[in-house]
């Protein structure tokens, strides 16, 4: 399988940092994927300075797309991202489907894939066995992001298991850190790297970025989340990396009210898409059914939070 | 949409009874669907006297098949079932996919579709709204089986909700009853029909059939489960319907040891496929990854239980 | 049972509003209840203007106290609250214990009791039956707060069930609203009161108060939560009630960074107790084992957030 | 702490085997503990040949008893068990209560205590830390049974963690094995002992004994469960230990229909107490509220299963 990745794109690795925005999947009013909006959304994200992008995640409603639609999303995004690294969510109940989508994505030039543990008993031997099986199947040259999101998957894991997996499977190069509460886990992982010579892992934070300044101070490398104001994440991470954590947090705190509003499991997707629509990034805000729907009260509430943010930024 | 169902096949309705066996999906050693074995398995089930068949259920590993493979399974099964009613599991995280598979199945001559509540908060208003959205989408002429399997879906529901759904959505004609413990629920549903003039619902029992005689005595109409000795279910239901519950239970009890062995969530699928292979119904017993794998100890244990059953039946 | 409630104290009812702070239970270093700190904490809360108080909630570590200790906490708190209404959490795996604690609390002058659904299948008929059994057992003259906290109990409920319970059991006068996301539920409940003549329910918001301004705008009557800066809740609710929602939200938003930090399920209790200790309200911050423990990094992080808040308030 | 254990009783250890019946807690009609029935029940169990007894387990409704009642149950049982080893369930949300009950039980002559992981995230580091904290607190001379019952606790664990705990904490001498499916785990533990020189663990099987013959064949040392026909467990284990697994299984299989009926999570407790009442072992079958209640249909169904068993045994 030659020509696996374009000359322009760079795979993610254990040093990757910055902001990988989680990309929504826009739909037309008839429910089909809106590729024009998707291209516009990619431009919106790039225009706001993101380092990379993650597509077909939970926020991308990947499980409601069939395999053809998933490939279509990959095609459109990779046609518009140039050399920007793109991670593709490939979680799937079956390894056959996971592996097929991984091959497709990597052949098209993806920078890596993101995988969460499948549903099932939260026994750590099961999760360990699963990631070994995954890596066997997709091949050792595919960089993998471990998505640690127990509130959604129902499968919490210990830092020791993450460490063991990243030692045994060197292609697992990044953690999407969204356990909650998760800050002690983040510190534990960084301390292990310092004390036990565990190989370094890139850690990008999810959970809407709700604790991003604290997480950066504890050693995170950036964010991987879908906040509809990605510039806030970009600037926060940049200022922190420039050695100015206080200014980073001052900036970030202005966005907290609306960020907290987005951070509502389930409903948050609809709120984000609504804001993206209001900001002109996509044409329609609707999620695929069964998905959250906003009432006029919900929408007015978001409008108000947006106006309050704009007033604060203008002050 | 003319020619929606062949002249031969009969849709399920609220009087449907008997044994609808849950059909496994056999795979070849290379992991692809084994259509030869599938045809053989259908013949095996028909040879053992089943009333109908349910394909693409959880035991059919439907969530590990892509849309093309799911359609392939429908094609093969419907090509070999003649006028036997076939129910197709169409559960899907998205309504788009659910609806597309439903249309395909009904056009090909399925007798109905089976749908479980999607994962999410077990709020009954959510489940109610979901089934209304489903029925809106698939059309009112498609008979629906409500799969009530909380141990797997994480979404338990009250008998009152089942009653309300079956009153408001008359196309929900059947309950796959596999709440556990579930017998008081079954009794409640039958009492409501008697006392409140709630429309009658066909109730077929899942959970491997572990409580089938008791459930028949409480008013169930039969079984919908994947026990690898379907003849036991067929004979038990037949004897019960002929007014001989004691003989039905005597017969059934001979099979309990191996039936109980199959009834192990997760592992049970591998056990059933192994027995089906030993009985000559399929060529390979393997489940798709990530799925249960049997050790040589597991296999020897099943062999022993099969020998014990055969000895008892021969006595 | 004469003299059930002192002349000074007022039971909660369906019009109750304001801020009922959730009271922590302080422990000495040897692990016993620290009654001196508890008295000091009560004075701290009263000094910050709370309307009422809720003791022996989840944040009060009630399930780690034995019955004698629970009664001791009631005694100390009621000795120091004068005519301030005090709600007592009485959730218990058994009705016998729940009922005994309720009698004790009401005899001592509590204003009502708070009860969450017991763990178990999230079937709404089970929850409905449970609250009927509870009310039968404790007597119809005890005002009850329904604690709706699915993230902790595992038992989500529909607005329709809350409405039905409050119609059938008129002693359920208040909802501790902490479903998440929960704002559409709050709006649904208020709309039902307007449209269906459902009796009004007092709604106080939990979840740390993370969405308090939005919830007030949707019709909540105040807060019932344990934020370690109760004055922020008090002022927010007061300004909102005075018809100034923008000023209320401006004030509230200054506290969001630290409020969001407290709002970490499990860990939050330790953070709150640490802040209460730093603010001089209790002597020791430790929670009973097995409970969260703060590392020096965790503590330094809170110190920093406290300094940032103080600087912002001083500006 | 002298005189910690009477001269007569023997602590459990890693060689312990046989049948430790899980003892129900009988109540009078007024809801108080029925100590007369409890004494009678102990005699019933002893008369049926049990090796030991476990009290205050989940089936003993321990979480619905207050601390005084729990001590009362210990007193009554230990007054009637002579030198029979008695294990006391001491699981408690707080270590203070767990430790106090452990001291009481061991001082009175218990043979050990049984502890399940507390509810919370199923991270194995949390479970590991919890058992270290427990053993620190109760002292190293108290033999501990690890109760592995994920269907009830929500906390599944890997065999590797069980092995690690039993290596690091030598006082954990026994596993109450009731993961489901659990047979591969049992085999894994026994293989580790053979291959890795892991210290041997006594393994007694729960889950109603539903797979007891298979589990004995895989190396279990007996049963710890509450089947209302304990003589079936006793005889099955004895025959197996005498080298006659086929006869053991033949005997066991006669009881499967009613054993399977008892094995209904939640409802099972009520079924067992009803059978114990019918067999004359206790006066009243009621469980404490909120607990399962049998309808007349439920009772008639059990009566029928009992008659069928008696007929089979008489044949």
């Amino acid at each position: 399988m030659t020509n696996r990745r374009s000359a322009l794109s760079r795979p993610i690795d254990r040093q990757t940092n910055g902001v990988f925005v989680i990309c929504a999947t826009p739909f037309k009013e008839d429910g089909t994927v809106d590729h024009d909006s998707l291209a516009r959304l990619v431009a919106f994200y790039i225009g706001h300075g993101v380092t990379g992008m993650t597509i077909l995640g939970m926020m991308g409603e990947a499980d409601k797309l069939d395999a053809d639609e998933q490939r279509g999303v990959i095609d459109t995004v990779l046609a518009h991202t140039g050399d920007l690294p793109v991670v593709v969510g490939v979680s799937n109940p079956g390894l056959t489907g996971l592996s097929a989508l991984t091959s497709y994505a990597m052949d098209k030039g993806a920078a890596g894939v993101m995988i969460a543990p499948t549903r099932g008993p939260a026994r750590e031997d099961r999760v360990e066995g699963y990631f070994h099986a995954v890596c066997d199947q997709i091949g050792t040259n595919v960089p993998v992001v471990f998505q640690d999101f127990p509130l959604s998957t129902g499968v919490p894991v210990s830092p020791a298991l993450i460490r063991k997996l990243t030692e045994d499977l060197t292609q697992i190069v990044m953690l999407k850190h969204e356990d909650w509460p998760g800050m002690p886990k983040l510190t534990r992982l960084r301390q292990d790297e310092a004390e036990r010579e565990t190989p370094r892992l890139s850690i990008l934070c999810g959970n809407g970025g709700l604790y991003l300044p604290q997480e950066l101070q504890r050693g995170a490398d950036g964010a991987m989340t879908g906040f509809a104001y990605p510039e806030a994440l970009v600037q926060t991470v940049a200022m922190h990396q420039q050695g100015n954590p206080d200014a980073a947090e001052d900036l970030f705190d202005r966005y907290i009210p609306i960020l907290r509003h987005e951070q509502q499991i389930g409903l948050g997707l609809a709120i984000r898409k609504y804001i993206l629509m209001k900001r002109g990034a996509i044409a329609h805000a609707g999620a695929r059914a069964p998905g959250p729907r906003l009432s006029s009260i919900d929408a007015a509430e978001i409008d108000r939070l947006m106006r309050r943010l704009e007033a604060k930024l203008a002050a």
Side-chain angles (χ1 to χ4, degrees), chain A residues 17-22 44-53 84 205 208-209 212-213 216 221-242 244 247-249 251-252 255 259 279:
Chain A
N17 62 76
V19 175
F20 277 62
V21 73
I22 302 275
F44 170 87
Y45 288 142
I46 292 176
H48 282 101
V50 303
T51 320
M53 205 171 293
L84 200 79
C205 301
L212 185 57
L216 292 169
D221 297 303
M224 183 184 279
T225 191
F227 185 35
Y229 293 87
E231 64 269 36
L233 307 174
V234 168
Q235 295 168 39
T236 300
V237 171
M239 284 169 152
H240 178 86
Q241 288 177 339
Q242 289 153 14
N244 204 340
E249 192 157 0
L251 182 138
F252 179 85
Y255 290 89
L259 192 154
R279 298 191 77 191

Side-chain angles (χ1 to χ4, degrees), chain A residues 120-309:
Chain A
R123 274 173 49 174
E124 298 200 351
D125 56 348
R126 185 185 71 85
V127 176
E128 185 179 0
Y130 177 68
F131 275 88
H132 277 271
V134 162
C135 289
D136 274 2
Q137 181 104 12
I138 64 177
T140 57
N141 56 342
V142 180
V144 172
V145 181
F146 182 105
Q147 184 176 19
D148 185 22
F149 192 13
L151 204 57
S152 174
T153 62
V155 183
V157 297
S158 300
L161 177 62
I162 296 172
R163 195 169 62 228
K164 187 164 195 306
L165 281 173
T166 55
E167 283 169 359
D168 296 345
L169 299 166
T170 53
Q171 75 197 94
I172 301 183
V173 297
M174 186 185 284
L175 178 70
K176 182 167 198 272
H177 168 261
E178 44 193 339
D179 200 349
W180 181 70
M183 284 185 275
K185 179 186 271 187
L186 202 166
T187 294
R188 176 81 265 136
L189 289 168
R190 286 299 185 229
Q191 285 177 341
D192 284 346
E193 291 173 7
E195 293 161 16
R196 301 198 192 189
E197 307 193 6
T198 297
R200 190 187 195 284
L201 191 62
S202 168
I203 301 180
L204 300 187
C205 301
N207 266 330
L210 193 59
Y211 303 97
L212 185 57
Q214 280 67 41
E215 290 165 325
L216 292 169
Q217 290 160 27
R218 285 169 180 263
D221 297 303
M224 183 184 279
T225 191
F227 185 35
Y229 293 87
E231 64 269 36
L233 307 174
V234 168
Q235 295 168 39
T236 300
V237 171
M239 284 169 152
H240 178 86
Q241 288 177 339
Q242 289 153 14
N244 204 340
D246 292 318
E249 192 157 0
D250 289 343
L251 182 138
F252 179 85
D253 283 357
R254 304 171 127 194
Y255 290 89
I256 285 193
I258 201 158
L259 192 154
R260 155 214 59 164
H261 197 70
E262 275 193 6
Q263 181 57 8
Q264 299 183 66
I265 290 278
L267 198 60
L269 166 66
I271 298 171
R272 283 178 178 170
K273 286 186 128 176
Y274 180 82
I275 298 176
L276 290 172
M277 183 194 67
K278 297 288 279 192
R279 298 191 77 191
I282 59 176
H284 300 288
R288 266 205 177 164
R293 294 278 174 270
L294 299 181
S295 68
S296 60
I297 291 174
D298 297 332
E301 187 175 63
I302 301 169
D303 291 342
R304 187 172 180 280
L305 287 166
M306 291 180 74
R307 284 196 306 272
R308 286 179 58 85
L309 173 64

